[in-house]
Amino acid sequence: QVQLVESGGGLVQPGGSLRLSCAASGFTLDYFAIGWFRQAPGKEREGVSCITSSDGSTYYANSVKGRFTISRDNAENTAYLQMSNLKPEDTAVYYCSVAGYGSRCHDTDFGSWGQGTQVTVSS
């Protein structure tokens, strides 16, 4: 019953905004770091953003810094990725994942994945 479900993706014009959600069930997110990743066709999966559980530190890929904001709501057992000023190169399937309490958001710390949500940015 342990499950991680991404939602909120869709088709948006360049310059538009979307908010992605990552909802956990069967466990609590309180003591996990949460990471957002994305993968475009023919490309490797890349880390987008991460928020730790230990101290709430946030991290962003240079390509999204200043445009995306990661947050978490432990009471709702959900994490979010607010995406603004979207660009065509942001088009990808977006995944969330979790890592242990002590994680400092290294990509290799993440091993539990949801099914992803498609984000398409096109005019």
Side-chain angles (χ1 to χ4, degrees):
Q1 195 176 343
V2 173
Q3 196 171 8
L4 207 57
V5 178
E6 302 92 340
S7 63
L11 176 64
V12 65
Q13 294 181 329
S17 299
L18 287 172
R19 187 182 71 166
L20 306 185
S21 298
C22 175
S25 61
F27 71 104
T28 178
L29 287 175
D30 294 36
Y31 297 102
F32 292 87
I34 304 167
W36 284 97
F37 300 79
R38 66 187 182 187
Q39 187 168 24
K43 298 182 180 179
E44 294 184 348
R45 184 181 64 213
E46 64 172 335
V48 176
S49 185
C50 184
I51 183 167
T52 69
S53 178
S54 55
D55 61 4
S57 298
T58 58
Y59 302 88
Y60 298 93
N62 288 336
S63 59
V64 308
K65 194 171 297 181
R67 300 188 297 119
F68 291 9
T69 303
I70 190 171
S71 63
R72 65 191 301 156
D73 187 336
N74 288 339
E76 296 296 326
N77 215 28
T78 302
Y80 303 94
L81 185 69
Q82 178 67 49
M83 307 185 296
S84 299
N85 192 24
L86 284 160
K87 304 175 180 180
E89 51 264 42
D90 295 318
T91 296
V93 178
Y94 283 71
Y95 302 89
C96 62
S97 188
V98 296
Y101 179 80
S103 174
R104 302 306 298 174
C105 289
H106 299 291
D107 285 1
T108 53
D109 293 343
F110 293 89
S112 300
W113 300 91
Q115 296 302 304
T117 185
Q118 176 72 50
V119 172
T120 303
V121 185
S122 177
S123 59

